[in-house]
Amino acid sequence: REKEEWERGHIQGAKHWPLGQFETDVFPREILESPETSIVYCLSGNRSARVLDHLKSKCIKGVRQFKGGYIEWVSHSHERT
């Protein structure tokens, strides 16, 4: 999500990595080195799907998408900031 979207609200505990960071192949170290699965999300799921496809094309594993994005999260009244 972009900075303005992030500031309007995000999933508690999430880290902010805008789409542009992934498009330049500068991947967050947490994704590259994490032994755990990373979850990417955006507002509705479209941009996170693009990120996931891009990461897969670079053979980066251990990443999943939260389908439906922040809108889906909020619609189920989950904890957020």
Coordinates of all heavy atoms in Angstrom, one line a residue:
R1 N 0.8 -1.2 0.0 CA 0.0 0.0 0.0 C 0.9 1.2 0.0 O 2.0 1.2 0.5 CB -0.9 0.0 1.2 CG -1.8 -1.3 1.2 CD -2.7 -1.4 2.4 NE -3.6 -0.3 2.5 CZ -4.1 0.2 3.6 NH1 -3.7 -0.3 4.8 NH2 -4.9 1.2 3.6
E2 N 0.4 2.3 -0.6 CA 1.1 3.5 -0.6 C 1.1 4.2 0.7 O 0.2 3.9 1.6 CB 0.6 4.4 -1.8 CG 0.8 3.8 -3.1 CD 2.2 3.3 -3.4 OE1 3.2 4.0 -3.1 OE2 2.4 2.2 -4.0
K3 N 2.0 5.1 1.0 CA 2.1 5.8 2.3 C 0.8 6.4 2.8 O 0.4 6.2 3.9 CB 3.2 6.9 2.2 CG 3.4 7.5 3.5 CD 4.5 8.6 3.5 CE 4.7 9.2 4.8 NZ 5.5 10.3 4.8
E4 N 0.1 7.1 1.9 CA -1.2 7.7 2.3 C -2.2 6.7 2.8 O -2.9 6.9 3.8 CB -1.8 8.6 1.2 CG -0.9 9.7 0.8 CD 0.3 9.3 -0.1 OE1 0.2 8.2 -0.8 OE2 1.3 9.9 -0.1
E5 N -2.3 5.6 2.1 CA -3.2 4.5 2.4 C -2.8 3.9 3.8 O -3.6 3.6 4.6 CB -3.2 3.4 1.4 CG -3.8 3.8 0.1 CD -3.6 2.7 -1.0 OE1 -2.5 2.3 -1.2 OE2 -4.6 2.2 -1.5
W6 N -1.5 3.6 3.9 CA -1.0 3.1 5.1 C -1.3 3.9 6.3 O -1.7 3.4 7.4 CB 0.5 2.9 5.0 CG 1.2 2.4 6.2 CD1 1.9 3.2 7.1 CD2 1.4 1.1 6.6 NE1 2.4 2.3 8.1 CE2 2.1 1.0 7.8 CE3 0.9 -0.2 6.1 CZ2 2.5 -0.1 8.5 CZ3 1.3 -1.3 6.8 CH2 2.0 -1.3 7.9
E7 N -1.2 5.2 6.2 CA -1.4 6.2 7.3 C -2.9 6.2 7.7 O -3.3 6.5 8.8 CB -0.9 7.6 6.9 CG 0.6 7.6 6.9 CD 1.2 8.9 6.4 OE1 0.4 9.7 5.8 OE2 2.4 9.1 6.6
R8 N -3.8 5.9 6.7 CA -5.2 5.9 7.0 C -5.6 4.6 7.8 O -6.7 4.6 8.3 CB -6.1 6.0 5.7 CG -6.0 7.4 5.1 CD -7.1 7.5 4.0 NE -6.9 6.6 2.9 CZ -6.3 6.9 1.8 NH1 -5.8 8.1 1.6 NH2 -6.2 6.0 0.8
G9 N -4.8 3.7 7.8 CA -5.1 2.4 8.6 C -4.3 1.2 8.0 O -4.1 1.2 6.7
H10 N -3.9 0.3 8.8 CA -3.3 -0.9 8.4 C -3.4 -2.0 9.4 O -3.9 -1.7 10.5 CB -1.8 -0.6 8.1 CG -1.1 0.0 9.2 ND1 -1.0 1.3 9.4 CD2 -0.4 -0.6 10.3 CE1 -0.3 1.6 10.5 NE2 0.1 0.4 11.1
I11 N -3.1 -3.2 9.0 CA -3.2 -4.3 9.9 C -2.1 -4.2 11.0 O -1.0 -4.0 10.7 CB -3.0 -5.7 9.2 CG1 -4.2 -5.8 8.1 CG2 -3.0 -6.8 10.1 CD1 -4.0 -7.0 7.2
Q12 N -2.6 -4.3 12.3 CA -1.6 -4.2 13.4 C -0.5 -5.1 13.3 O -0.7 -6.3 13.0 CB -2.4 -4.4 14.7 CG -1.5 -4.0 15.9 CD -2.3 -4.0 17.2 OE1 -3.5 -4.3 17.2 NE2 -1.6 -3.8 18.3
G13 N 0.7 -4.7 13.4 CA 1.9 -5.5 13.4 C 2.5 -5.6 12.0 O 3.6 -6.2 11.8
A14 N 1.8 -5.1 11.0 CA 2.3 -5.2 9.6 C 3.5 -4.2 9.4 O 3.6 -3.2 10.1 CB 1.2 -4.9 8.6
K15 N 4.3 -4.5 8.4 CA 5.4 -3.6 8.0 C 5.0 -3.0 6.6 O 4.3 -3.6 5.8 CB 6.7 -4.4 7.8 CG 7.0 -5.0 9.2 CD 8.5 -5.3 9.2 CE 8.7 -5.6 10.7 NZ 9.6 -6.6 11.0
H16 N 5.4 -1.7 6.4 CA 5.0 -1.0 5.2 C 6.1 -1.1 4.1 O 7.3 -0.7 4.3 CB 4.8 0.5 5.5 CG 4.4 1.2 4.4 ND1 5.0 2.4 4.0 CD2 3.4 1.0 3.5 CE1 4.5 2.9 2.9 NE2 3.5 2.1 2.6
W17 N 5.8 -1.8 3.0 CA 6.6 -1.8 1.9 C 5.8 -1.5 0.6 O 5.0 -2.2 0.2 CB 7.2 -3.2 1.7 CG 8.0 -3.7 2.8 CD1 9.0 -3.0 3.4 CD2 8.0 -5.0 3.4 NE1 9.6 -3.8 4.4 CE2 8.9 -5.0 4.4 CE3 7.2 -6.1 3.3 CZ2 9.2 -6.1 5.3 CZ3 7.4 -7.2 4.1 CH2 8.4 -7.2 5.1
P18 N 6.0 -0.3 0.1 CA 5.2 0.2 -1.0 C 5.5 -0.7 -2.3 O 6.5 -1.2 -2.4 CB 5.5 1.6 -1.2 CG 6.8 1.8 -0.5 CD 6.9 0.8 0.6
L19 N 4.5 -0.7 -3.2 CA 4.6 -1.5 -4.4 C 5.9 -1.2 -5.2 O 6.6 -2.0 -5.7 CB 3.4 -1.2 -5.3 CG 3.4 -1.9 -6.7 CD1 3.4 -3.4 -6.5 CD2 2.2 -1.4 -7.5
G20 N 6.2 0.1 -5.3 CA 7.4 0.5 -6.0 C 8.7 -0.1 -5.6 O 9.6 -0.4 -6.4
Q21 N 8.8 -0.5 -4.3 CA 10.0 -1.1 -3.8 C 10.1 -2.5 -4.5 O 11.2 -2.9 -4.8 CB 9.9 -1.2 -2.3 CG 11.1 -1.9 -1.7 CD 11.2 -1.8 -0.2 OE1 10.3 -1.3 0.4 NE2 12.2 -2.4 0.4
F22 N 9.1 -3.2 -4.7 CA 9.1 -4.5 -5.3 C 9.4 -4.4 -6.8 O 10.1 -5.3 -7.4 CB 7.8 -5.3 -5.0 CG 7.7 -5.6 -3.6 CD1 6.9 -4.8 -2.7 CD2 8.2 -6.8 -3.1 CE1 6.8 -5.2 -1.4 CE2 8.1 -7.1 -1.7 CZ 7.4 -6.3 -0.9
E23 N 8.9 -3.4 -7.4 CA 9.1 -3.2 -8.9 C 10.5 -2.9 -9.2 O 10.9 -3.2 -10.4 CB 8.1 -2.1 -9.4 CG 6.7 -2.6 -9.3 CD 5.7 -1.5 -9.7 OE1 6.0 -0.3 -9.6 OE2 4.6 -1.8 -10.2
T24 N 11.3 -2.4 -8.3 CA 12.7 -2.1 -8.6 C 13.6 -3.3 -8.2 O 14.8 -3.2 -8.3 CB 13.1 -0.9 -7.9 OG1 13.0 -1.1 -6.4 CG2 12.3 0.3 -8.3
D25 N 13.0 -4.4 -7.8 CA 13.8 -5.6 -7.3 C 14.6 -5.3 -6.1 O 15.6 -6.0 -5.8 CB 14.6 -6.2 -8.4 CG 13.8 -6.8 -9.5 OD1 12.6 -7.0 -9.3 OD2 14.4 -7.1 -10.6
V26 N 14.2 -4.3 -5.3 CA 14.8 -4.1 -4.0 C 13.9 -4.7 -3.0 O 13.0 -4.0 -2.5 CB 15.1 -2.6 -3.8 CG1 15.7 -2.4 -2.4 CG2 15.9 -2.0 -4.9
F27 N 14.1 -6.0 -2.7 CA 13.2 -6.7 -1.8 C 13.6 -6.5 -0.3 O 14.7 -6.5 0.0 CB 13.2 -8.2 -2.1 CG 12.9 -8.4 -3.6 CD1 13.7 -9.1 -4.4 CD2 11.7 -8.0 -4.1 CE1 13.5 -9.4 -5.7 CE2 11.4 -8.2 -5.5 CZ 12.3 -8.9 -6.3
P28 N 12.6 -6.3 0.5 CA 12.8 -6.2 1.9 C 13.6 -7.4 2.5 O 13.3 -8.5 2.1 CB 11.5 -6.1 2.6 CG 10.6 -5.6 1.5 CD 11.1 -6.2 0.2
R29 N 14.6 -7.1 3.3 CA 15.4 -8.2 3.8 C 14.6 -9.2 4.6 O 14.8 -10.4 4.6 CB 16.5 -7.6 4.8 CG 17.3 -8.6 5.4 CD 18.5 -8.1 6.2 NE 19.5 -7.7 5.2 CZ 20.4 -6.7 5.4 NH1 20.3 -5.9 6.4 NH2 21.2 -6.4 4.4
E30 N 13.6 -8.7 5.3 CA 12.7 -9.6 6.1 C 12.1 -10.7 5.2 O 11.8 -11.8 5.7 CB 11.6 -8.8 6.8 CG 12.1 -7.9 7.9 CD 12.4 -6.5 7.5 OE1 12.6 -6.2 6.3 OE2 12.4 -5.6 8.3
I31 N 11.7 -10.3 4.0 CA 11.1 -11.3 3.1 C 12.2 -12.3 2.6 O 12.0 -13.5 2.6 CB 10.4 -10.6 1.9 CG1 9.1 -10.0 2.4 CG2 10.2 -11.6 0.8 CD1 8.3 -9.3 1.3
L32 N 13.4 -11.8 2.3 CA 14.4 -12.6 1.7 C 15.0 -13.6 2.8 O 15.4 -14.7 2.5 CB 15.5 -11.8 1.1 CG 15.1 -10.9 0.0 CD1 16.3 -10.0 -0.4 CD2 14.6 -11.7 -1.2
E33 N 15.1 -13.1 4.0 CA 15.8 -13.9 5.0 C 14.9 -14.6 6.1 O 15.4 -15.3 6.9 CB 16.8 -13.0 5.8 CG 17.9 -12.5 4.8 CD 18.8 -11.5 5.5 OE1 18.6 -11.1 6.7 OE2 19.8 -11.1 4.8
S34 N 13.6 -14.3 6.0 CA 12.7 -14.9 7.1 C 12.5 -16.4 6.9 O 12.3 -16.9 5.8 CB 11.4 -14.2 7.0 OG 10.5 -14.8 7.9
P35 N 12.6 -17.1 8.0 CA 12.3 -18.5 8.0 C 10.8 -18.8 8.0 O 10.4 -19.9 7.8 CB 13.0 -19.0 9.3 CG 13.0 -17.9 10.2 CD 13.1 -16.7 9.3
E36 N 10.1 -17.7 8.3 CA 8.6 -17.8 8.3 C 8.0 -17.3 7.0 O 8.6 -16.6 6.3 CB 8.1 -17.0 9.5 CG 8.6 -17.5 10.8 CD 8.1 -16.7 12.0 OE1 7.3 -15.7 11.8 OE2 8.5 -16.9 13.1
T37 N 6.8 -17.7 6.8 CA 6.0 -17.2 5.6 C 5.7 -15.7 5.8 O 5.2 -15.3 6.9 CB 4.7 -18.0 5.4 OG1 5.1 -19.4 5.2 CG2 3.9 -17.5 4.3
S38 N 5.9 -14.9 4.8 CA 5.5 -13.5 4.8 C 4.2 -13.4 4.0 O 3.9 -14.1 3.0 CB 6.6 -12.7 4.1 OG 7.8 -12.7 4.8
I39 N 3.3 -12.5 4.5 CA 2.0 -12.3 3.9 C 2.0 -10.8 3.3 O 2.4 -9.9 4.0 CB 0.9 -12.4 4.9 CG1 0.9 -13.7 5.6 CG2 -0.5 -12.1 4.2 CD1 0.7 -14.9 4.8
V40 N 1.7 -10.7 2.0 CA 1.6 -9.4 1.4 C 0.1 -9.0 1.3 O -0.7 -9.9 1.0 CB 2.4 -9.3 0.1 CG1 3.9 -9.4 0.3 CG2 1.9 -10.3 -0.9
Y41 N -0.2 -7.8 1.5 CA -1.6 -7.3 1.2 C -1.5 -5.9 0.8 O -0.6 -5.2 0.9 CB -2.4 -7.5 2.5 CG -2.2 -6.4 3.6 CD1 -3.0 -5.3 3.6 CD2 -1.1 -6.5 4.5 CE1 -2.8 -4.3 4.6 CE2 -1.0 -5.5 5.4 CZ -1.8 -4.4 5.5 OH -1.6 -3.5 6.4
C42 N -2.6 -5.5 0.1 CA -2.8 -4.1 -0.3 C -4.2 -3.7 0.1 O -4.8 -4.3 1.0 CB -2.5 -3.9 -1.8 SG -3.7 -4.9 -2.8
L43 N -4.8 -2.7 -0.5 CA -6.1 -2.3 -0.2 C -7.2 -3.3 -0.5 O -8.0 -3.7 0.3 CB -6.5 -0.9 -0.8 CG -7.8 -0.3 -0.4 CD1 -7.9 0.0 1.0 CD2 -8.1 0.9 -1.3
S44 N -7.1 -3.8 -1.8 CA -8.2 -4.8 -2.3 C -7.6 -6.1 -2.7 O -8.4 -7.0 -2.9 CB -8.9 -4.1 -3.4 OG -8.1 -3.9 -4.5
G45 N -6.3 -6.2 -2.9 CA -5.8 -7.5 -3.3 C -5.1 -7.5 -4.7 O -4.4 -8.4 -5.1
N46 N -5.4 -6.4 -5.5 CA -4.8 -6.4 -6.9 C -3.3 -6.2 -6.9 O -2.6 -6.9 -7.5 CB -5.5 -5.3 -7.7 CG -7.0 -5.6 -7.9 OD1 -7.3 -6.7 -8.1 ND2 -7.8 -4.6 -7.9
R47 N -2.8 -5.2 -6.1 CA -1.4 -4.9 -6.1 C -0.6 -6.0 -5.4 O 0.5 -6.4 -5.9 CB -1.1 -3.6 -5.4 CG -1.5 -2.4 -6.3 CD -1.4 -1.1 -5.6 NE -2.5 -1.0 -4.6 CZ -2.7 -0.1 -3.8 NH1 -1.9 1.0 -3.8 NH2 -3.7 -0.1 -2.9
S48 N -1.2 -6.6 -4.4 CA -0.5 -7.7 -3.7 C -0.4 -8.9 -4.6 O 0.6 -9.6 -4.5 CB -1.1 -8.0 -2.3 OG -2.4 -8.4 -2.5
A49 N -1.3 -9.1 -5.5 CA -1.3 -10.2 -6.4 C -0.1 -9.9 -7.4 O 0.6 -10.9 -7.7 CB -2.6 -10.4 -7.2
R50 N 0.1 -8.7 -7.8 CA 1.2 -8.3 -8.7 C 2.5 -8.6 -8.0 O 3.5 -9.1 -8.6 CB 1.1 -6.9 -9.2 CG 0.0 -6.7 -10.2 CD -0.2 -5.2 -10.5 NE 0.9 -4.4 -10.7 CZ 0.9 -3.1 -10.6 NH1 -0.2 -2.4 -10.4 NH2 2.0 -2.4 -10.7
V51 N 2.6 -8.2 -6.8 CA 3.8 -8.4 -6.0 C 4.1 -9.9 -5.9 O 5.3 -10.3 -6.1 CB 3.7 -7.7 -4.6 CG1 4.8 -8.2 -3.7 CG2 3.8 -6.2 -4.7
L52 N 3.1 -10.7 -5.5 CA 3.3 -12.1 -5.4 C 3.8 -12.7 -6.7 O 4.8 -13.5 -6.7 CB 2.0 -12.8 -4.9 CG 2.1 -14.2 -4.6 CD1 3.2 -14.5 -3.4 CD2 0.8 -14.8 -4.2
D53 N 3.2 -12.4 -7.8 CA 3.6 -12.9 -9.1 C 5.1 -12.5 -9.4 O 5.9 -13.3 -9.9 CB 2.7 -12.4 -10.2 CG 1.3 -13.0 -10.2 OD1 1.2 -14.1 -9.6 OD2 0.4 -12.4 -10.9
H54 N 5.4 -11.2 -9.1 CA 6.8 -10.8 -9.3 C 7.8 -11.5 -8.5 O 8.8 -11.9 -8.9 CB 6.9 -9.3 -9.0 CG 8.2 -8.7 -9.4 ND1 8.7 -8.6 -10.7 CD2 9.1 -8.1 -8.6 CE1 9.9 -8.0 -10.7 NE2 10.2 -7.7 -9.4
L55 N 7.5 -11.7 -7.2 CA 8.4 -12.5 -6.3 C 8.6 -13.9 -6.8 O 9.7 -14.4 -6.8 CB 7.9 -12.5 -4.9 CG 7.9 -11.1 -4.2 CD1 7.1 -11.2 -2.9 CD2 9.3 -10.6 -3.9
K56 N 7.5 -14.5 -7.2 CA 7.6 -15.9 -7.7 C 8.4 -15.9 -9.0 O 9.2 -16.9 -9.2 CB 6.2 -16.4 -8.1 CG 5.4 -16.8 -6.8 CD 4.0 -17.4 -7.2 CE 3.2 -17.8 -6.0 NZ 1.9 -18.3 -6.4
S57 N 8.3 -14.9 -9.8 CA 9.1 -14.9 -11.1 C 10.6 -14.8 -10.8 O 11.5 -15.1 -11.6 CB 8.7 -13.7 -12.0 OG 9.2 -12.5 -11.5
K58 N 10.9 -14.3 -9.6 CA 12.3 -14.2 -9.1 C 12.7 -15.3 -8.2 O 13.8 -15.3 -7.6 CB 12.5 -12.8 -8.3 CG 12.2 -11.6 -9.1 CD 13.2 -11.4 -10.3 CE 12.9 -10.2 -11.0 NZ 13.7 -10.0 -12.2
C59 N 11.9 -16.4 -8.2 CA 12.1 -17.6 -7.4 C 12.2 -17.3 -5.9 O 12.9 -18.0 -5.2 CB 13.4 -18.3 -7.9 SG 13.2 -18.9 -9.6
I60 N 11.5 -16.3 -5.4 CA 11.4 -16.0 -4.0 C 10.2 -16.8 -3.4 O 9.1 -16.6 -3.9 CB 11.4 -14.5 -3.8 CG1 12.7 -13.9 -4.3 CG2 11.2 -14.2 -2.3 CD1 12.7 -12.4 -4.2
K61 N 10.5 -17.6 -2.5 CA 9.5 -18.5 -1.9 C 9.1 -18.0 -0.5 O 9.8 -17.2 0.1 CB 9.9 -19.9 -1.9 CG 10.2 -20.4 -3.3 CD 10.7 -21.8 -3.3 CE 11.0 -22.3 -4.7 NZ 11.5 -23.6 -4.8
G62 N 8.1 -18.6 0.1 CA 7.7 -18.3 1.4 C 6.9 -17.0 1.6 O 6.9 -16.4 2.6
V63 N 6.2 -16.6 0.5 CA 5.4 -15.4 0.5 C 4.0 -15.8 0.0 O 3.9 -16.6 -0.9 CB 6.0 -14.3 -0.4 CG1 5.1 -13.1 -0.4 CG2 7.4 -14.0 0.0
R64 N 3.0 -15.3 0.7 CA 1.6 -15.6 0.4 C 0.9 -14.2 0.3 O 1.4 -13.2 0.8 CB 0.9 -16.5 1.4 CG 1.6 -17.8 1.6 CD 1.3 -18.8 0.4 NE 2.0 -20.0 0.6 CZ 3.2 -20.4 0.2 NH1 3.9 -19.5 -0.5 NH2 3.7 -21.5 0.4
Q65 N -0.3 -14.3 -0.3 CA -1.1 -13.1 -0.4 C -2.3 -13.2 0.5 O -3.0 -14.2 0.5 CB -1.5 -12.9 -1.9 CG -2.5 -11.7 -2.0 CD -3.2 -11.8 -3.4 OE1 -3.3 -12.8 -4.0 NE2 -3.8 -10.7 -3.7
F66 N -2.7 -12.1 1.1 CA -3.9 -12.0 1.9 C -5.0 -11.5 0.9 O -5.1 -10.3 0.6 CB -3.9 -11.1 3.1 CG -5.1 -11.0 3.9 CD1 -5.5 -12.1 4.7 CD2 -6.0 -10.0 3.7 CE1 -6.6 -12.1 5.4 CE2 -7.2 -9.9 4.5 CZ -7.5 -11.0 5.3
K67 N -5.7 -12.4 0.3 CA -6.7 -12.1 -0.8 C -7.8 -11.2 -0.2 O -8.3 -11.4 0.9 CB -7.3 -13.3 -1.4 CG -6.2 -14.1 -2.2 CD -6.8 -15.3 -2.9 CE -5.7 -16.0 -3.6 NZ -6.2 -17.2 -4.3
G68 N -8.2 -10.2 -0.9 CA -9.2 -9.2 -0.5 C -8.6 -8.0 0.2 O -9.3 -7.0 0.4
G69 N -7.3 -8.1 0.6 CA -6.6 -7.0 1.2 C -7.2 -6.4 2.5 O -7.9 -7.1 3.2
Y70 N -6.8 -5.2 2.7 CA -7.2 -4.4 3.9 C -8.8 -4.3 4.0 O -9.3 -4.4 5.0 CB -6.6 -3.1 3.9 CG -6.8 -2.3 5.2 CD1 -6.2 -2.7 6.4 CD2 -7.6 -1.2 5.2 CE1 -6.4 -2.0 7.5 CE2 -7.8 -0.4 6.4 CZ -7.2 -0.9 7.5 OH -7.4 -0.2 8.7
I71 N -9.4 -4.2 2.8 CA -10.9 -4.1 2.8 C -11.5 -5.3 3.4 O -12.4 -5.3 4.2 CB -11.4 -3.8 1.4 CG1 -11.0 -2.4 0.9 CG2 -12.9 -4.0 1.3 CD1 -11.3 -2.1 -0.5
E72 N -11.0 -6.5 3.0 CA -11.5 -7.7 3.5 C -11.2 -7.9 5.0 O -12.1 -8.3 5.8 CB -10.8 -8.9 2.8 CG -11.3 -10.3 3.2 CD -12.7 -10.6 2.7 OE1 -13.2 -9.9 1.9 OE2 -13.3 -11.6 3.3
W73 N -10.0 -7.5 5.4 CA -9.6 -7.5 6.8 C -10.6 -6.7 7.7 O -11.1 -7.1 8.7 CB -8.2 -7.0 7.0 CG -7.6 -7.1 8.4 CD1 -7.7 -6.1 9.3 CD2 -7.0 -8.2 9.0 NE1 -7.1 -6.5 10.5 CE2 -6.6 -7.8 10.3 CE3 -6.6 -9.4 8.5 CZ2 -5.9 -8.6 11.2 CZ3 -6.0 -10.3 9.4 CH2 -5.6 -9.9 10.7
V74 N -10.8 -5.4 7.3 CA -11.7 -4.5 8.0 C -13.1 -5.0 8.0 O -13.8 -4.9 9.0 CB -11.6 -3.1 7.4 CG1 -12.7 -2.2 8.0 CG2 -10.2 -2.5 7.6
S75 N -13.6 -5.6 6.9 CA -15.0 -6.1 6.9 C -15.3 -7.2 7.9 O -16.4 -7.4 8.2 CB -15.3 -6.6 5.4 OG -14.7 -7.8 5.2
H76 N -14.2 -7.9 8.3 CA -14.4 -8.9 9.4 C -14.0 -8.4 10.8 O -13.8 -9.2 11.7 CB -13.6 -10.1 9.0 CG -14.1 -10.8 7.8 ND1 -15.2 -11.6 7.8 CD2 -13.7 -10.8 6.5 CE1 -15.5 -12.1 6.6 NE2 -14.5 -11.6 5.8
S77 N -13.9 -7.1 10.9 CA -13.6 -6.4 12.2 C -12.4 -7.0 12.9 O -12.3 -7.1 14.1 CB -14.8 -6.6 13.1 OG -15.9 -5.9 12.5
H78 N -11.3 -7.3 12.1 CA -10.1 -7.7 12.7 C -9.3 -6.5 13.3 O -9.6 -5.3 12.9 CB -9.2 -8.4 11.7 CG -9.7 -9.7 11.3 ND1 -9.7 -10.8 12.1 CD2 -10.2 -10.1 10.1 CE1 -10.2 -11.8 11.5 NE2 -10.5 -11.5 10.2
E79 N -8.4 -6.7 14.2 CA -7.6 -5.7 14.8 C -6.8 -4.9 13.8 O -6.2 -5.5 12.9 CB -6.7 -6.3 15.8 CG -6.2 -5.3 16.9 CD -5.6 -6.0 18.0 OE1 -6.0 -7.2 18.4 OE2 -4.7 -5.4 18.6
R80 N -6.8 -3.6 13.9 CA -6.0 -2.8 12.9 C -5.6 -1.5 13.6 O -6.0 -1.2 14.7 CB -6.9 -2.4 11.7 CG -8.2 -1.7 12.1 CD -9.1 -1.6 10.9 NE -10.3 -0.9 11.2 CZ -11.4 -1.4 11.6 NH1 -11.5 -2.6 11.9 NH2 -12.5 -0.6 11.8
T81 N -4.7 -0.8 13.0 CA -4.1 0.5 13.5 C -4.6 1.6 12.7 O -4.7 1.5 11.5 CB -2.6 0.4 13.5 OG1 -2.2 -0.7 14.3 CG2 -2.0 1.7 14.1

